[in-house]
């Protein structure tokens, strides 16, 4: 992936994409606002969610050990993965041990993070997405662009074309008379997936929360496909980041109120599935929990950066972000797009690549993301923190010539009152010229900087000049 500015420039040129995004994010924003307004104690819930997350992260080692003990006691098996390669190898080996060559999947961001579908394909195992939006992305050979609605960049007409073109290659084809009516599209997906649910012996899921005190895994969803995957197969493999732990069921109660209102604008999730190990004659006979680090321990070690691990993947920050609304999720070059992706991905992956170094700058710092975050992650603070880290990472490299020259000139000007006064008079002249030219536009080569933003217009009179004029 290219760095964010280049990817964003391409996305901005796609008028259909911008129209799709504006319609979808606007609808979700309105639903969320209405759902939140129903609660008098919403701010109290946000504070409770933040407090639970921060307390959990401070004692994460204890809760993870307790989680492993409880899962094992309940008949499950816990596997630890330091990185994506280890997690993929564990899952592939578990699927191979069953002798199966296909799996059904519940929507999972962490399996996208580690590239599990590709790893399974390389091992000769077909992975079928069962979430409607993920199915659209898979059939279209596309990439997810939103945390909650991975196919948010597609409209109904595009989805119809994808179903007609690709559904038959994966299983039951779409009806030839299919229209772009939402009901017909949903029915085509339901018919296509039904045979996979009834045939699959292995399922792979993500996890929304893990309750340490009982070893319980929790998945919330809106379509019922998750319930099918979690109950019908004989083997269930769940992959989760280590930050998904909550200590108790009482803590879980807070998040089951915060998450649906912040994500889908609903009072509660239509389907909340919980399972603890295995139970004879009920559900999967084998349960495996793969716990992934994948850079999370490094993020945890950063007193400022660790708050990104509080994220419960609601996507509220994406839906209010003016940058995301105009460029979509693909420009971020990560499975985690939008404001949360801009602060999470550089911590999980590091800032060695151009795309990860650019992500902390993929924001206007308007603060809307912080205002809607259900666990009060201060994303603007994190963006500035990571920008500083990107600059610090450049230490030891040669500072660019223009930057060295600018700093040298600034030091020379600011070291003498007479030179500062001269610079202020020059700024006043520049302010008058810019006012005549048009507010916020710089001349010459600098005009590129103001193609997408307004530059502050210098005052036509400095404070020093005003003081001399009015008090002499």
């Amino acid at each position: 992936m290219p760095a964010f500015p280049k990817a964003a420039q391409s996305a901005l040129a796609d008028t259909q994409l911008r129209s799709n995004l504006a319609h979808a994010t606007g609808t979700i924003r309105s639903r969320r606002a209405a759902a939140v307004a129903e609660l008098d104690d919403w701010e109290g819930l946000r504070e409770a969610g933040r407090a639970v997350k921060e307390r959990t992260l401070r004692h994460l080692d204890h809760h993870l050990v307790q989680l492993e003990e409880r899962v094992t006691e309940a008949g499950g098996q816990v596997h630890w993965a330091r990185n994506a390669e280890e997690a993929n190898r564990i899952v592939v080996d578990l699927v191979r041990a069953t002798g199966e060559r296909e799996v059904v999947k519940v929507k999972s961001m962490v399996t996208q993070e580690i590239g599990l579908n590709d790893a399974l394909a390389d091992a000769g195992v077909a992975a079928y997405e069962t979430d409607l939006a993920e199915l659209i992305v898979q059939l279209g050979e596309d990439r997810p662009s939103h945390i909650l609605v991975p196919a948010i960049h597609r409209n109904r007409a595009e989805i119809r074309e994808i179903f007609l073109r690709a559904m038959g290659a994966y299983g039951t084809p779409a009806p030839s008379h299919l229209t772009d009516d939402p009901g017909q599209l949903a029915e085509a997906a339901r018919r296509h997936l039904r045979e996979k649910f009834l045939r699959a012996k292995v399922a792979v899921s993500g996890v929304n929360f893990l309750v340490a005190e009982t070893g319980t895994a929790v998945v919330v969803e809106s379509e019922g496909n998750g319930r099918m995957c979690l109950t019908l197969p004989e083997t269930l493999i769940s992959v989760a980041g280590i930050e998904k732990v909550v200590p108790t069921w009482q803590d879980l109660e807070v998040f089951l109120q915060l998450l649906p209102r912040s994500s889908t604008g609903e009072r509660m999730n239509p389907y909340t599935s919980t399972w603890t190990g295995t139970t004879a004659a009920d559900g999967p006979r084998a349960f495996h929990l793969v716990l992934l680090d994948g850079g999370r321990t490094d993020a945890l070690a950063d007193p400022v950066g660790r708050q990104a691990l509080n994220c419960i993947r609601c996507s509220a920050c994406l839906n209010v972000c003016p940058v995301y609304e105009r460029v979509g999720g693909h420009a971020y070059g990560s499975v985690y797009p939008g404001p949360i992706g801009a602060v999470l991905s550089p911590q999980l992956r590091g800032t060695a690549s151009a795309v990860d170094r650019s992500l902390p700058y993929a924001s206007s710092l308007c603060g809307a993301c912080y205002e809607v975050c259900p666990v009060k992650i201060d994303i603007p603070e994190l963006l500035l923190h990571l920008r500083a880290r990107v600059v610090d990472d450049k230490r030891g490299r040669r500072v660019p010539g223009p930057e060295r020259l600018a700093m040298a000139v600034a030091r020379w000007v600011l070291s003498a009152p007479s030179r500062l006064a001269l610079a202020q008079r020059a700024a006043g002249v520049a302010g008058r010229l810019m006012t005549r030219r048009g507010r916020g536009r710089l001349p010459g080569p600098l005009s590129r900087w103001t193609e997408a933003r307004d530059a502050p217009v210098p005052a036509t009179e400095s404070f020093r000049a005003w003081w001399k004029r009015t008090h002499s």
Side-chain angles (χ1 to χ4, degrees):
M1 284 292 297
F4 181 83
K6 186 174 181 180
Q9 187 175 22
S10 174
L12 284 169
D14 189 337
T15 56
Q16 183 63 62
L17 171 67
R18 296 181 64 176
S19 175
N20 294 348
L21 289 169
H23 173 74
T25 56
T27 300
I28 298 172
R29 278 199 306 269
S30 299
R31 292 182 61 181
R32 178 196 175 277
V36 166
E38 295 177 348
L39 296 182
D40 294 332
D41 63 341
W42 178 252
E43 289 305 315
L45 276 172
R46 289 182 71 206
E47 180 59 28
R50 181 202 62 78
V52 169
K53 276 291 188 178
E54 291 192 357
R55 172 167 49 86
T56 304
L57 290 177
R58 285 197 301 271
H59 305 285
L60 186 59
D61 53 346
H62 166 75
H63 298 306
L64 288 172
V65 170
Q66 183 184 30
L67 174 71
E68 181 180 29
E69 292 173 349
R70 298 296 181 268
V71 170
T72 304
E73 290 171 0
Q77 186 174 352
V78 176
H79 309 263
W80 299 87
R82 288 171 293 187
N83 50 44
E85 291 74 20
E86 288 189 6
N88 286 333
R89 184 170 66 251
I90 291 168
V91 176
V92 168
D93 289 346
L94 290 172
V95 175
R96 280 177 170 166
T98 67
E100 297 296 319
R101 286 294 176 262
E102 65 179 22
V103 302
V104 288
K105 289 186 65 200
V106 186
K107 181 179 182 296
S108 165
M109 305 226 42
V110 74
T111 61
Q112 295 167 9
E113 176 189 332
I114 64 177
L116 179 59
N117 285 12
D118 291 335
L120 289 170
D122 291 342
V125 178
Y128 297 112
E129 299 289 351
T130 64
D131 174 83
L132 177 57
E134 291 286 2
L135 175 66
I136 294 167
V137 170
Q138 184 176 50
L139 294 178
E141 298 181 348
D142 203 350
R143 290 177 293 118
S145 63
H146 192 274
I147 290 176
L148 176 67
V149 193
I152 195 172
H153 55 290
R154 299 290 192 185
N155 60 32
R156 289 183 297 171
E158 292 173 310
I159 295 169
R160 171 185 176 273
E161 293 301 319
I162 290 171
F163 280 9
L164 288 172
R165 181 180 70 250
M167 214 171 235
Y170 285 82
T172 303
S176 58
H177 59 274
L178 182 67
T179 71
D180 64 359
D181 175 72
Q184 288 195 27
L185 293 173
E187 179 60 25
R190 188 179 296 113
R191 292 178 64 252
H192 175 80
L193 291 172
R194 181 68 58 172
E195 62 169 331
K196 294 180 170 52
F197 289 137
L198 297 177
R199 186 177 67 229
K201 302 296 184 184
V202 181
V204 175
S205 82
V207 173
N208 289 103
F209 305 101
L210 292 162
V211 184
E213 71 174 349
T214 57
T216 302
V218 184
V219 162
V220 296
E221 39 115 7
S222 300
E223 300 169 16
N225 63 296
R227 184 67 59 83
M228 301 284 279
C229 292
L230 298 170
T231 55
L232 293 179
E234 296 175 359
T235 300
L236 173 60
I237 305 168
S238 299
V239 186
I242 57 175
E243 82 281 11
K244 293 294 187 178
V245 179
V246 295
T248 68
W249 279 86
Q250 186 175 9
D251 298 321
L252 177 65
E253 176 189 352
V254 175
F255 299 111
L256 291 184
Q257 296 180 75
L258 288 169
L259 182 55
R261 282 182 161 83
S262 290
S263 57
T264 58
E266 296 170 297
R267 296 183 181 93
M268 64 181 294
N269 296 101
Y271 295 89
T272 300
S273 300
T274 68
W275 65 99
T276 307
T278 58
T279 303
D282 183 16
R285 291 184 295 215
F287 169 56
H288 299 272
L289 175 62
V290 181
L291 292 173
L292 172 71
D293 185 326
R296 288 158 175 80
T297 299
D298 292 336
L300 185 62
D302 185 339
V304 178
R306 71 175 58 163
Q307 60 180 304
L309 299 178
N310 292 354
C311 177
I312 58 175
R313 309 293 191 267
C314 70
S315 77
C317 61
L318 280 69
N319 301 323
V320 299
C321 177
V323 177
Y324 176 86
E325 185 178 350
R326 286 158 178 79
V327 304
H330 292 159
Y332 292 83
S334 167
V335 66
Y336 303 111
I340 188 60
V343 297
L344 184 60
S345 298
Q347 295 194 82
L348 299 183
R349 303 189 306 200
T351 56
S353 69
V355 62
D356 287 316
R357 287 195 299 271
S358 69
L359 288 180
Y361 298 90
S363 170
S364 65
L365 296 178
C366 67
C369 49
Y370 173 63
E371 295 299 324
V372 299
C373 178
V375 288
K376 303 180 76 170
I377 300 172
D378 194 341
I379 294 179
E381 178 190 34
L382 277 175
L383 289 165
L384 294 176
H385 174 67
L386 291 171
R387 290 180 186 185
R389 179 186 295 182
V390 169
V391 173
D392 289 341
D393 287 345
K394 293 181 180 179
R395 288 179 178 174
R397 306 177 191 174
R398 183 176 175 81
V399 178
E403 185 176 334
R404 287 203 313 275
L405 177 61
M407 293 299 103
V409 170
R411 181 174 59 185
W412 180 79
V413 169
L414 296 173
S415 62
S418 58
R419 290 195 287 268
L420 177 59
L422 182 63
Q424 289 173 334
R425 287 197 294 273
V429 173
R432 288 190 288 273
L433 290 175
M434 288 181 66
T435 302
R436 293 172 190 158
R437 177 183 174 87
R439 291 186 64 83
R441 297 294 182 267
L442 295 175
L446 297 177
S447 62
R448 291 187 60 187
W449 193 84
T450 55
E451 286 178 357
R453 60 180 67 80
D454 288 337
V457 178
T460 56
E461 183 180 31
S462 69
F463 175 80
R464 184 193 300 266
W466 172 84
W467 184 271
K468 184 177 180 180
R469 178 172 58 81
T470 57
H471 290 74
S472 59

